[in-house]
Amino acid sequence: MLRIVNFSKSYKGGKIAVDRLNLEVDGGDIFGFIGHNGAGKTTTIRAIAGVLDFDEGDILIDGVSVKKDPVRCKKVTAYIPDNPDLYDHLTGIAYLNFIGDIYEIDRTERRQLIEKYADAFELTADLGDRIASYSHGMKQKLAIISALIHKPKLLVLDEPFVGLDPKAAHTLKTIMADLCRNGSAIFFSTHVLEVAEKLCNKIGIIKNGKLVAFGPTGEVTGDSSLEDVFMELVESGHKKGTVQT
Amino acid sequence: MKKVMRLLNVQLWAMLMEMLSIGDFRKKRTKVLQAGLVLFVIVLSSVSFAYAYFLGKSLKAYNSTETLPFLFMAVTSIVVLFTTMYMIKGTVFGFRDYDLVMSLPVSTGKIVASRLMLLYFINLFFVLIIMVPMTAAYGILVKPGFIFYLFGILTVFFIPFIPIIIASIVGTVLAFVSMRFRYSNILYMVFIFMIILAWIVVPFFLQGSGEALAVISKVITGKIKKIYFWADLYTRAVTQADIAALLIFTVVSVLAFLLYSWVVGKIFIKINTQIMTIRHKTDYKMEELKSSSPLMALYKRDIKRYFASPVYVLNTGFGMVILLILTVALPFININELLGEIPVTGTMQEVIPLIIMFCMATSCTTMASVSIEGKNLWIIKSLPVSTYTIFASKILVNLTVLIPAVLASIVIGISFKFPLINGLLILISVISFAVFISLFGLAVNLNFPNLTWSNETVIIKQSMASMISVFFCLGLVAAQFGLLKAIKNFCLSILIFICLVWLFNFILYKRLKTTGTRQFEKL
């Protein structure tokens, strides 16, 4: 579903954010992308979502290059950034309807899906209010609902659990598992290693823009916990798992 | 005082950085932008000087030169009034970093002082640009003594105080009243439009008839004296070296400002809490949803964004409101009585396209349409729509805003009974110019984007993109007038203008398709 081939991104001033990244996420995978602050997680995620322009390498979604045909890739992808800045001037329902229009979701199905997910995240009663009046968690819920209503084949999330209350976090985990059972792939970054360890069947650890560990969760962690592996890797710089460079 | 200055310093720098896009990833452009700002100050000061000098020269012929400082003082006060009315919400009340600033271990009084001083310095900038060149022009024309320059320079620093107080009170009351309604922003805009229109219309009815410039100036002066006696006090202090007037002017200004600051300090938290409280009903029930095409969805989103911003609408919609009022009023006005001896196919026919296009040139919404996305840019960039569809929606919004210009050209053509071919040419030129404004604004904004703003006034009123687009569009209007004067054939000059505009439109379209798309993708 997602193939990243030799992806590199450097910013003006010469800082290399991501250096020749290669990885693959298949349909049905929940992939956890882990790394310290500034390691290159958000850069990678934004490039996958087609938000960030890049010069080297390629990213293929469902076999289509993000660079060559971004619109086709975006049709099957949903992206939620780490800080969901939404349109404050719109109401929650107007925002969801806007997303429904852009993804050309059938009206009846759109309503059913909004109802389903808004009820699941207990946001239905607030949908008539302006987004400006929402708390951080409510905005996060709305961003998640907007990502789910077009049934994406690839869901890309940057720190999705930040700001969610425990019930909403549980709901999101359940929905993620359901999506994967239906063949979608999920790529998400997190600093909560326990969540990644429990939820993901594949893990990737990035350090200073380079992938230092990649593979099935069990293979990456071995007999240790993910936290131990992560600490060992970020401090020593060894590579673990089936890392491709 | 140290803390006040530190807060003021941070706020002023933040504003300057936003204006010049310093700290953005386009650092290498910073120097160009700074040079642009210096150029902007030089151009405005030169225009102000030229205007003061030539007006003063005409007034001198009628022995009325003393009217010059008076008129400029009144104009400056109006500039300060409107600037403050636009800025009060977002600078003193309802500003974005309110929580951060209020959590600092600094007293409310000091925060209020820093905010009011910020407002003062912004206004002082405009006052200096207008008043210093006028002082120089007056000096050249009248050759007054040293005391004129001393009093002139001294009083400049006191001019902003009273208009700031008046505008802050009006602006705060408007913001306060309008926020009690569901569509508070629209109501706020309507209020401000009404005040500005009243300001324009009232003197029009008050004004008597007079042929000579000096007579007109004296009539206007007399009317302004009745409305704003403060300008009269200033004139007496500066031109007649009236010490009593100078003392009243400076001391009352400062005392009033101190009193105002004290009052604001007392109600600062209360008003900010009220203004920033957003209605939250929590009673929504799912209803039937209306669907649209992706382009229409983007268009609806963009037009809602436009009308959600009073600063955006007030800055780019005023000319269109005037034209709309004109369009509605014209069928009820007796044209022959209004025009008198002025020939319809001569002067009026030449002037009308200029008036319409002048209003249009100040109605470019695309010049901030990319920057206005700000932190929300990720949304449209992650959506499955082509960059050109995004551009098309922004262009459509600007064309929608410019509809009153098209309507005005039709109604005026019919009302003034222009020959069919001339009326059609005016209509085509207006439509062509509308397309140009929309394309040009977008191209300029893509060259000078600012996505890190914290106050939208910066990208709408004070950005490089807004200055370039307004000045260039006004330049094109001047070019049309120049063509008319050079060719002396109305139809031919309009025809050449239309061809020229479409040539620009074609170049801009091609550029947006290629370079513009790349620029957007790199944001």
Side-chain angles (χ1 to χ4, degrees):
Chain A
M1 179 61 63
L2 170 70
R3 245 184 91 209
I4 301 179
V5 188
N6 275 327
F7 164 66
S8 294
K9 174 73 190 173
S10 54
Y11 289 106
K12 282 181 182 171
K15 189 193 182 266
I16 299 169
V18 182
D19 189 12
R20 284 173 291 140
L21 180 74
N22 288 282
L23 60 82
E24 217 165 300
V25 179
D26 300 316
D29 278 348
I30 301 187
F31 175 76
F33 200 37
I34 298 156
H36 56 89
N37 293 331
K41 300 187 298 293
T42 299
T43 299
T44 308
I45 283 177
R46 293 182 73 221
I48 296 170
V51 174
L52 187 76
D53 192 43
F54 58 95
D55 306 315
E56 281 180 58
D58 207 351
I59 294 171
L60 303 159
I61 296 172
D62 213 9
V64 181
S65 163
V66 171
K67 268 182 140 177
K68 289 179 187 139
D69 196 348
V71 174
R72 230 175 107 193
C73 290
K74 287 171 187 176
K75 272 193 174 150
V76 294
T77 310
Y79 162 61
I80 303 169
D82 53 347
N83 195 358
D85 285 304
L86 305 173
Y87 300 129
D88 280 350
H89 64 284
L90 294 184
T91 60
I93 190 68
Y95 178 70
L96 293 175
N97 206 33
F98 164 70
I99 296 292
D101 283 340
I102 297 289
Y103 283 90
E104 296 170 280
I105 308 164
D106 170 73
R107 261 199 321 178
T108 320
E109 192 186 13
R110 184 186 309 187
R111 190 185 155 159
Q112 284 168 355
L113 287 168
I114 291 175
E115 233 167 355
K116 175 185 164 187
Y117 291 119
D119 284 347
F121 284 104
E122 298 174 324
L123 200 69
T124 312
D126 302 293
L127 287 180
D129 293 318
R130 273 177 58 206
I131 295 171
S133 70
Y134 284 17
S135 68
H136 178 88
M138 287 162 84
K139 284 183 187 172
Q140 184 77 353
K141 286 178 186 176
L142 189 70
I144 292 168
I145 297 167
S146 72
L148 295 170
I149 56 169
H150 58 91
K151 296 192 278 188
K153 283 186 177 177
L154 174 66
L155 186 58
V156 187
L157 311 108
D158 198 355
E159 296 285 348
F161 300 104
V162 174
L164 289 184
D165 58 66
K167 189 165 183 264
H170 175 75
T171 306
L172 178 60
K173 284 179 216 165
T174 312
I175 290 170
M176 284 164 80
D178 284 349
L179 273 175
C180 288
R181 265 194 295 278
N182 292 330
S184 294
I186 293 171
F187 184 112
F188 80 102
S189 74
T190 183
H191 288 300
V192 190
L193 300 180
E194 292 81 5
V195 170
E197 198 168 3
K198 275 187 192 163
L199 203 62
C200 304
N201 66 321
K202 264 186 191 170
I203 294 281
I205 300 178
I206 188 169
K207 183 190 172 188
N208 297 331
K210 288 190 178 199
L211 197 65
V212 290
F214 175 72
T217 309
E219 208 175 290
V220 171
T221 54
D223 296 331
S224 317
S225 69
L226 183 58
E227 189 177 14
D228 291 337
V229 174
F230 178 76
M231 292 311 291
E232 187 193 325
L233 281 169
V234 293
E235 275 164 20
S236 66
H238 294 145
K239 288 177 179 175
K240 195 152 183 162
T242 48
V243 180
Q244 300 155 298
T245 51
Chain B
M1 197 60 192
K2 202 175 162 189
K3 282 182 179 173
V4 175
M5 293 315 287
R6 190 77 191 94
L7 279 170
L8 177 68
N9 193 16
V10 169
Q11 287 151 13
L12 267 175
W13 268 110
M15 189 168 273
L16 266 176
M17 282 168 79
E18 282 190 359
M19 275 174 73
L20 301 175
S21 298
I22 303 170
D24 205 350
F25 61 94
R26 290 159 185 265
K27 272 186 181 164
K28 66 178 177 186
R29 289 197 173 172
T30 302
K31 282 201 169 135
V32 180
L33 293 168
Q34 283 167 333
L37 185 73
V38 173
L39 190 74
F40 171 72
V41 172
I42 293 170
V43 169
L44 269 189
S45 307
S46 308
V47 169
S48 179
F49 176 80
Y51 193 74
Y53 183 77
F54 290 111
L55 182 64
K57 217 172 166 184
S58 307
L59 289 167
K60 200 178 176 185
Y62 295 93
N63 255 345
S64 303
T65 333
E66 77 284 353
T67 318
L68 189 67
F70 179 87
L71 285 175
F72 268 69
M73 155 62 170
V75 167
T76 310
S77 300
I78 294 168
V79 171
V80 175
L81 267 172
F82 291 138
T83 309
T84 309
M85 226 146 60
Y86 281 133
M87 293 192 74
I88 189 80
K89 198 178 167 190
T91 309
V92 179
F93 300 116
F95 51 96
R96 254 196 197 185
D97 49 350
Y98 176 79
D99 287 9
L100 178 77
V101 174
M102 289 304 283
S103 67
L104 296 173
V106 183
S107 71
T108 309
K110 283 176 181 160
I111 292 169
V112 172
S114 74
R115 290 276 147 184
L116 288 174
M117 279 170 80
L118 176 70
L119 211 54
Y120 170 76
F121 280 114
I122 293 165
N123 280 304
L124 186 66
F125 173 74
F126 295 113
V127 172
L128 288 171
I129 284 182
I130 299 172
M131 293 307 280
V132 172
M134 185 284 295
T135 308
Y138 187 84
I140 294 168
L141 291 165
V142 181
K143 297 189 176 54
F146 168 74
I147 207 82
F148 164 78
Y149 295 103
L150 182 71
F151 284 12
I153 296 298
L154 185 72
T155 45
V156 158
F157 295 95
F158 295 86
I159 290 174
F161 288 130
I162 299 293
I164 284 179
I165 298 171
I166 297 170
S168 312
I169 295 168
V170 175
T172 311
V173 169
L174 293 187
F176 210 72
V177 171
S178 56
M179 70 165 219
R180 290 170 191 279
F181 297 89
R182 184 166 178 196
Y183 299 102
S184 60
N185 278 343
I186 293 176
L187 209 67
Y188 182 71
M189 284 182 279
V190 170
F191 279 150
I192 296 214
F193 270 135
M194 276 162 60
I195 288 175
I196 299 173
L197 281 173
W199 190 275
I200 295 168
V201 173
V202 169
F204 178 76
F205 286 114
L206 285 174
Q207 196 176 316
S209 62
E211 288 82 27
L213 182 65
V215 180
I216 293 171
S217 299
K218 279 198 170 161
V219 170
I220 295 172
T221 307
K223 301 302 172 197
I224 297 173
K225 270 181 191 171
K226 282 181 194 162
I227 300 167
Y228 192 52
F229 70 95
W230 206 238
D232 185 38
L233 202 65
Y234 161 82
T235 314
R236 280 196 350 241
V238 175
T239 58
Q240 296 163 26
D242 186 336
I243 303 278
L246 178 79
L247 278 174
I248 296 171
F249 183 76
T250 51
V251 173
V252 172
S253 292
V254 171
L255 285 180
F257 198 70
L258 287 175
L259 179 70
Y260 175 70
S261 310
W262 180 79
V263 173
V264 172
K266 289 280 163 206
I267 55 171
F268 186 71
I269 296 179
K270 201 172 180 180
I271 289 195
N272 268 305
T273 311
Q274 291 276 338
I275 282 181
M276 290 197 282
T277 306
I278 300 159
R279 289 163 64 97
H280 199 100
K281 289 203 299 190
T282 324
D283 61 354
Y284 181 78
K285 287 187 177 57
M286 278 302 290
E287 297 161 354
E288 261 324 296
L289 299 169
K290 286 180 187 159
S291 60
S292 317
S293 69
L295 175 63
M296 193 44 72
L298 282 169
Y299 170 77
K300 281 186 194 167
R301 177 203 70 128
D302 280 338
I303 206 112
K304 279 181 186 166
R305 179 68 187 88
Y306 175 70
F307 283 108
S309 166
V311 181
Y312 208 175
V313 176
L314 289 168
N315 272 279
T316 56
F318 191 71
M320 290 303 109
V321 171
I322 299 271
L323 285 181
L324 200 62
I325 292 170
L326 192 73
T327 310
V328 175
L330 261 181
F332 304 100
I333 294 171
N334 187 337
I335 301 294
N336 293 332
E337 209 173 276
L338 184 79
L339 291 180
E341 298 297 311
I342 304 170
V344 169
T345 48
T347 317
M348 287 313 289
Q349 189 180 256
E350 290 171 6
V351 168
I352 276 168
L354 286 176
I355 295 172
I356 296 176
M357 283 180 199
F358 178 83
C359 292
M360 291 171 79
T362 57
S363 304
C364 178
T365 62
T366 46
M367 55 83 189
S369 60
V370 175
S371 295
I372 200 93
E373 297 285 344
K375 287 175 185 166
N376 296 142
L377 186 74
W378 70 271
I379 300 175
I380 47 169
K381 285 196 83 176
S382 65
L383 294 178
V385 282
S386 69
T387 305
Y388 206 75
T389 310
I390 295 167
F391 288 175
S393 125
K394 295 184 184 305
I395 291 165
L396 277 175
V397 170
N398 206 157
L399 292 175
T400 309
V401 170
L402 291 168
I403 284 175
V406 178
L407 292 177
S409 64
I410 296 169
V411 173
I412 289 170
I414 295 168
S415 301
F416 284 78
K417 297 189 179 67
F418 287 159
L420 183 66
I421 190 78
N422 297 18
L424 272 176
L425 281 172
I426 292 174
L427 178 65
I428 296 168
S429 69
V430 164
I431 294 170
S432 315
F433 194 49
V435 176
F436 170 80
I437 289 168
S438 313
L439 294 173
F440 183 71
L442 187 56
V444 172
N445 196 192
L446 286 166
N447 272 291
F448 299 98
N450 177 0
L451 300 163
T452 53
W453 51 269
S454 59
N455 186 342
E456 57 191 26
T457 311
V458 170
I459 51 158
I460 294 160
K461 262 180 83 102
Q462 300 148 358
S463 68
M464 198 55 71
S466 68
M467 289 172 202
I468 293 174
S469 58
V470 169
F471 278 117
F472 196 87
C473 291
L474 285 175
L476 211 57
V477 178
Q480 197 241 335
F481 183 68
L483 263 175
L484 184 67
K485 289 291 151 197
I487 298 171
K488 291 187 174 62
N489 180 324
F490 177 77
C491 289
L492 187 62
S493 68
I494 284 265
L495 207 60
I496 293 173
F497 177 75
I498 292 169
C499 293
L500 192 73
V501 170
W502 277 106
L503 178 70
F504 281 144
N505 288 350
F506 178 72
I507 295 167
L508 284 166
Y509 171 77
K510 282 279 178 196
R511 192 181 154 79
L512 284 172
K513 272 266 199 192
T514 52
T515 316
T517 306
R518 274 200 302 277
Q519 285 171 324
F520 183 78
E521 279 160 8
K522 283 195 184 298
L523 288 175

